[in-house]
Amino acid sequence: MKIDFRVESVGHLYSHETQIALSEQTIANIQGFYTEDILDSWASYDPSGVETMQRAVEERKAYSVIYGIDGIPLDVYGREEYWENGSFDGELFATGKYVLALGPGMEPGIKEQAMPTVSVGDSVNIEGREYTVMAVLNSLQPVTEGAYEGGPRDSFYLDYIMPAETFRECWPQNTLRKLYFNVADEKIEEAQEKIDAYFARTGLTLSVTSRQSMTRQYERETRSSAVMGNAVSIVIALVGVLNFINSMITSIVSRKKEFAMIQSVGMTKPQLCKLLVFEGLDYVGLTLLVTYALSVFAVGIGVRAMVEGGYTTFRFTLLPLVVCTPILVVFAVGIPYLCFRNLEKDSLVVRLRAEE
């Protein structure tokens, strides 16, 4: 595949599954972390997970996925916000004598609590080679997720990260698990088109994750909820408009004798029609004023405060109200006019004699 866009940075991720022995300190860390409350909470949604952890402690061994990384994923793990215990030193890590332990994925900011893995500074034996644990990092699923390694699923795992170069020395037969690369923002669309064209031409079925693919996935996942939300909004809007129309018609029809009395003392038909139109516009004006105010405060401020800081973006718009405004104005003018014409079909005497 010919690439005529510049790749700004790359990264590699390899993986290898093995079994490791648990030291006394590691077992103490696991037992100290998983208190009775945590175990009860864990067992409520994953009973087998608790059993595998307890079995690993009893047998003093656990399975482990060893990741070899460099470039982009290593830069991510090098950020302090992902350190749970210890700290990361890129130069020491590159020597190949150190590994990074992956923790359980705790909330950021928990740095003093012992993690249920090897302690910082301890040694870990991985297939006959000794490594020192430099730090315990937050387990980032977007980085490590991927195809199943093939080991037993019902096992307790303690995963580690080592430099990609060291990994290739230990397991030269293992192939690349993930390839990361960044391109300039203005070249993203071009890069996606090149990749799509390449896979379409070659027939390969490799998984590719990009901004565009994540956008398409998000749109697919949210399409059903968006359709449901739009349908509910339309139904509520129709109910509101019909209720508005019904209120206006009821108000005009119930006052037909009042209108006949006003006309009997000199009010002309155009004047009465204009009066009804202005009343309708008053209703619309009051409705829109309250609706716009409630939308700004309830949605623009209240809902924004609830979703701020999450994984989604909030965009407030008054476009639906702007679209409804001319429709309500048309109803405010048209309904009184049509109702008045219907009332005028009866003579003034008939309307005056009508019972309430």
Side-chain angles (χ1 to χ4, degrees), residues 34-290:
Y34 289 109
T35 62
E36 184 176 347
D37 291 340
I38 294 179
L39 289 177
D40 290 341
S41 176
W42 188 3
S44 65
Y45 62 87
D46 183 20
S48 62
V50 177
E51 295 174 2
T52 58
M53 184 274 293
Q54 293 172 339
R55 185 167 63 248
V57 170
E58 293 173 359
E59 297 176 354
R60 297 181 177 275
K61 59 184 179 180
Y63 279 86
S64 176
V65 178
I66 312 300
Y67 297 100
I69 65 174
D70 62 13
I72 294 174
L74 184 58
D75 293 338
V76 172
Y77 275 121
R79 300 174 187 171
E80 186 176 357
E81 59 190 285
Y82 299 119
W83 306 345
E84 293 182 345
N85 288 141
S87 60
F88 175 75
D89 187 319
E91 293 183 0
L92 285 178
F93 184 70
T95 63
K97 299 178 181 180
Y98 295 86
V99 293
L100 305 171
L102 292 180
M106 301 293 293
E107 291 293 329
I110 303 178
K111 299 182 180 296
E112 301 301 327
Q113 180 178 345
M115 295 292 111
T117 184
V118 180
S119 298
V120 175
D122 285 357
S123 295
V124 57
N125 186 294
I126 302 175
E127 296 192 356
R129 298 182 64 171
E130 293 288 334
Y131 301 90
T132 301
V133 177
M134 176 179 289
V136 179
L137 305 181
N138 197 312
S139 181
L140 297 177
Q141 289 298 321
V143 175
T144 58
E145 67 181 357
Y148 178 56
E149 286 291 317
R153 294 178 182 269
D154 57 340
S155 296
F156 185 69
Y157 278 78
L158 295 178
D159 300 335
Y160 300 92
I161 293 174
M162 64 173 56
E165 183 177 353
T166 305
F167 183 97
R168 289 193 294 267
E169 293 175 358
C170 297
W171 302 286
Q173 74 281 3
N174 287 40
T175 57
L176 187 66
R177 181 187 180 100
K178 285 186 179 181
L179 172 67
Y180 303 82
F181 68 90
N182 285 334
V183 299
D185 288 344
E186 63 272 11
K187 295 292 184 178
I188 291 178
E189 294 291 340
E190 180 183 350
Q192 185 68 49
E193 292 174 0
K194 292 286 185 180
I195 293 173
D196 292 341
Y198 175 76
F199 283 106
R201 185 174 65 254
T202 61
L204 295 176
T205 57
L206 296 177
S207 174
V208 178
T209 301
S210 63
R211 291 187 188 179
Q212 287 79 1
S213 65
M214 294 179 69
T215 299
R216 291 194 291 265
Q217 179 183 355
Y218 176 79
E219 290 175 348
R220 288 194 299 269
E221 292 175 350
T222 58
R223 186 173 294 120
S224 58
S225 59
V227 170
M228 181 64 68
N230 291 334
V232 172
S233 299
I234 292 174
V235 170
I236 293 175
L238 289 176
V239 171
V241 171
L242 292 176
N243 184 61
F244 174 76
I245 294 173
N246 180 67
S247 298
M248 290 191 63
I249 293 176
T250 302
S251 175
I252 294 173
V253 172
S254 63
R255 296 161 60 196
K256 61 182 180 179
K257 188 171 183 179
E258 173 189 341
F259 296 149
M261 294 179 62
I262 294 175
Q263 285 182 278
S264 68
V265 295
M267 177 174 279
T268 64
K269 293 180 180 179
Q271 288 176 330
L272 181 56
C273 184
K274 186 181 296 185
L275 172 65
L276 296 178
V277 169
F278 280 129
E279 283 186 359
L281 291 175
D282 288 340
Y283 290 147
V284 170
L286 182 60
T287 300
L288 291 176
L289 179 63
V290 173

Side-chain angles (χ1 to χ4, degrees), residues 292 317-327:
Y292 274 94
T317 177
L318 290 173
L319 181 60
L321 282 179
V322 173
V323 172
C324 290
T325 297
I327 298 176

Side-chain angles (χ1 to χ4, degrees), residues 296-315:
V296 170
F297 286 99
V299 180
I301 298 177
V303 176
R304 185 192 300 273
M306 289 189 293
V307 301
E308 188 175 9
Y311 294 99
T312 59
T313 57
F314 175 78
R315 184 173 64 89

